[in-house]
Amino acid sequence: MDRTDTEEFLLPRSRLANERLHAMIPGGAHTYAKGDDQYPENLAPVISHGHGAHVWDVDGNRYVEYGSGLRSVSLGHAHPRVLEAVRRELDRGSNFVRPSIVEVEAAERFLATVPTAEMVKFAKNGSDVTTAAVRLARAVTGRPRVAICVDHPFFSVDDWFIGTTPMSAGVPAASTELTVAFPYGDLAATEELLTRYQDEVACLILEPATHTEPPPGYLAGLRELADRHGCVLIFDEMITGLRWSEAGAQGLYGVVPDLSTFGKALGNGFAVSALAGRRDLMERGGLRHSGDRVFLLSTTHGAETHSLAAAMAVQTTYVEEGITARLHALGERLAAGVRDAAAGMGVGDHIVVRGRASNLVFATLDENGQPSQQYRTLFLRRLLAGGVLAPSFVVSSALSDADIDHTVDVVAQACAVYRKALDAADPTPWLAGRPVKPVFRRLA
C-alpha cells in the first residue's frame, strides 16, 4: 500500500458507508472518538472485519491496527480462547430471571485477579460504573462534592462529568456546580482543595496513571489525604486495568483505593465493565446492611453470560500467558522504532511518543513546538496510505515483530513528508481537506 506523495489514497466504499452512517446515526458513530472527524477528510475507513492485529475496511484494504476498540481489544480480534469461552455459553442462554452460576464464577475470577478488591459488580460500560462509584461515595460520606482529576480527559457521559467539558449542552449548570477539580501529581493543590471545601468532598476520582508515571509517593499521598479528609479514593482503571498489571495500577503501584472501576481490556471487545472495592462500601448497594439503601447498579444486561465468560477468559489468558509483559515488550520495540525513525528524518522533536509502553500515544507538534491538528492530519494520512490505522500507538498482544517493523517503515515515510511541511512552515499542501478535530468541542 506504499504510495508516493502524489498518488491518491481513495476509500470510495468507506466514503459511501460513512454517508449512510451519518444519515441514520448522530455523529456517524456510536462513540465520538470513532467519528470520521477524527480522521483526515474522506479517509475514515469503515471496517469490514478484523483478525489478530489486523483489520480490513470495506474497500478491501488491510491495516495494522493500534488502539483497537478504544484500547479494549488488547489480545487482538477474534482471540481463540475468548471465542471458545463465549461459544460455550451461547447455546446455554444469555439472560435469566435470576442470577446464573456464571456470575458467581466471574466474580470469583475477578476478585482472584484483583485481590485488592473485596466485592465486585458488573455492568456494560465505563460510564455506568464510574457514576455508580460517585453515587456510592456521596451516600457513604453524606457529602455532595466530587473532585475529579482535571488532567484526565474522560470519566463518564453523565452530567456530573460531561457538564465540565466543552460539550456541556443540555446539562444544567446546577448539575456540575458540585464538581471540582484537582491537578494530577500535585498533592499540595489537592490538599488546598480539600481544605477549601472541608467536609464537602465525597471522593477523589482519577486515573492512577496514563501518559505519565505517577511521581514517587503521589498515589500513597493521595491515599493519606483521602483518609485524613474522610473522602473516598476512586481509581478509574478503565485504561490501566490489565495493561499495567493483571490487577491494574493498584496492583503495580501497591496503593489500594476504596473503589475502582474496570472495563475496556476486561472483555477484549465484549461489553463488560466492573465496579470493585471495599466490602463495607459495596454492601451499601446490597441487602446485608442496616443503612439507607444505595441504588448502586441495576442493569438488565450487566450480567449477560457470554460477556462474563469473555472476561473470565481474558483474565485467565493474561495470567497464564504473561500478556501484560508482552504488551510492554511490544510497546517498547515500537516506541524505540518510531523515535529512531523520527530522529532519522529530523522530526524527533515534532513527533513525540509518550506514555507507558503498553499504552503509547503520540503528539504531533508544529514548527514552533506546539500541538497541531494540521500536522496530526498529515501524519495520519501517511499512516493510512501505508496500511497503518493508528489514532494512537496502543499495542495489542497479537502484533508481530513484522507488524511493528512495517509500522516503523511507514512512520519513516510519513516523517519524510512531515519534514517537508516543517521546512515549508505550512502543512496545508499535504492535508487534502480539513484537519482532524478534537473530540471535545462546543460546535460541530
Side-chain angles (χ1 to χ4, degrees):
M1 292 183 64
D2 294 343
R3 294 169 173 82
T4 68
D5 283 355
T6 57
E7 288 178 311
E8 188 63 27
F9 175 44
L10 301 174
L11 299 176
R13 292 179 179 174
S14 289
R15 186 173 181 177
L16 288 173
N18 276 313
E19 289 299 319
R20 292 166 61 194
L21 284 164
H22 278 282
M24 296 177 287
I25 300 167
H30 285 90
T31 309
Y32 284 113
K34 294 184 181 183
D36 57 8
D37 59 336
Q38 303 301 293
Y39 292 84
E41 190 168 4
N42 297 324
L43 289 188
V46 174
I47 305 303
S48 165
H49 62 288
H51 189 269
H54 300 109
V55 294
W56 287 257
D57 66 23
V58 294
D59 292 280
N61 299 301
R62 187 183 82 158
Y63 305 87
V64 180
E65 186 196 38
Y66 294 91
S68 314
L70 304 181
R71 296 178 172 88
S72 67
V73 185
S74 61
L75 299 176
H77 300 289
H79 189 274
R81 292 186 72 167
V82 177
L83 293 186
E84 180 186 2
V86 170
R87 288 192 184 105
R88 283 199 301 268
E89 294 301 325
L90 287 178
D91 291 335
R92 294 164 54 84
S94 63
N95 208 332
F96 312 105
V97 76
R98 279 281 295 147
S100 74
I101 192 65
V102 176
E103 295 176 52
V104 179
E105 296 165 350
E108 289 173 342
R109 164 56 63 186
F110 181 92
L111 295 173
T113 307
V114 186
T116 41
E118 296 175 324
M119 298 189 82
V120 63
K121 197 159 189 180
F122 296 110
K124 283 298 179 198
N125 63 70
S127 293
D128 284 351
V129 290
T130 53
T131 291
V134 166
R135 183 185 306 117
L136 183 56
R138 282 171 159 164
V140 298
T141 62
R143 299 175 177 181
R145 294 192 186 274
V146 176
I148 63 173
C149 183
V150 71
D151 298 304
H152 296 154
F154 188 80
F155 290 107
S156 175
V157 301
D158 293 302
D159 287 0
W160 64 269
F161 171 73
I162 211 68
T164 68
T165 75
M167 292 180 71
S168 60
V171 180
S175 297
T176 50
E177 286 172 356
L178 295 176
T179 302
V180 295
F182 63 95
Y184 187 78
D186 190 336
L187 290 174
T190 306
E191 181 159 29
E192 190 280 328
L193 180 79
L194 293 172
T195 301
R196 187 190 331 153
Y197 297 110
Q198 188 69 40
D199 299 329
E200 294 183 39
V201 176
C203 61
L204 301 171
I205 181 168
L206 73 156
E207 295 176 346
T210 47
H211 305 328
T212 59
E213 286 291 294
Y218 173 63
L219 295 178
L222 275 184
R223 174 72 277 173
E224 190 275 331
L225 278 179
D227 289 341
R228 181 150 47 87
H229 287 268
C231 55
V232 174
L233 181 61
I234 303 171
F235 281 178
D236 178 338
E237 297 249 32
M238 292 295 150
I239 293 173
T240 53
L242 295 168
R243 284 191 180 272
W244 262 240
S245 79
E246 289 85 358
Q250 58 195 279
L252 178 65
Y253 301 121
V255 175
V256 181
D258 299 304
L259 300 171
S260 56
T261 59
F262 289 74
K264 293 194 183 291
L266 184 59
N268 201 53
F270 285 88
V272 59
S273 61
L275 167 64
R278 283 170 36 195
R279 179 176 301 277
D280 62 315
L281 300 185
M282 295 287 287
E283 277 285 21
R284 291 290 295 272
L287 300 176
R288 297 182 175 182
H289 67 93
S290 58
D292 290 343
R293 295 183 68 194
V294 177
F295 196 93
L296 190 57
L297 282 165
S298 184
T299 59
T300 298
H301 301 293
E304 163 264 320
T305 55
H306 60 261
S307 287
L308 293 184
M312 285 189 282
V314 167
Q315 291 165 96
T316 300
T317 301
Y318 262 81
V319 172
E320 292 182 356
E321 298 185 15
I323 296 298
T324 304
R326 175 165 173 76
L327 293 175
H328 280 82
L330 289 167
E332 287 169 357
R333 179 185 174 97
L334 175 64
V338 170
R339 287 169 181 148
D340 286 347
M345 292 295 174
V347 297
D349 293 331
H350 299 273
I351 294 175
V352 182
V353 180
R354 297 170 175 162
R356 193 169 181 83
S358 60
N359 187 57
L360 296 171
V361 297
F362 58 83
T364 50
L365 310 181
D366 65 16
E367 55 274 5
N368 298 314
Q370 297 302 307
S372 168
Q373 295 294 96
Q374 287 187 308
Y375 278 95
R376 178 175 174 86
T377 306
L378 177 156
F379 191 58
L380 289 177
R381 283 187 66 86
R382 302 310 306 175
L383 295 186
L384 287 163
V388 176
L389 180 57
S392 69
F393 283 141
V394 176
V395 296
S396 75
S397 66
L399 287 161
S400 67
D401 287 347
D403 291 328
I404 291 178
D405 291 344
H406 173 72
T407 301
V408 172
D409 287 343
V410 172
V411 167
Q413 297 167 33
C415 288
V417 179
Y418 206 111
R419 182 68 260 174
K420 293 179 182 179
L422 287 171
D423 291 341
D426 181 12
T428 306
W430 290 274
L431 299 188
R434 54 110 181 106
V436 299
K437 300 178 181 181
V439 170
F440 289 113
R441 60 186 193 274
R442 190 171 66 87
L443 301 175

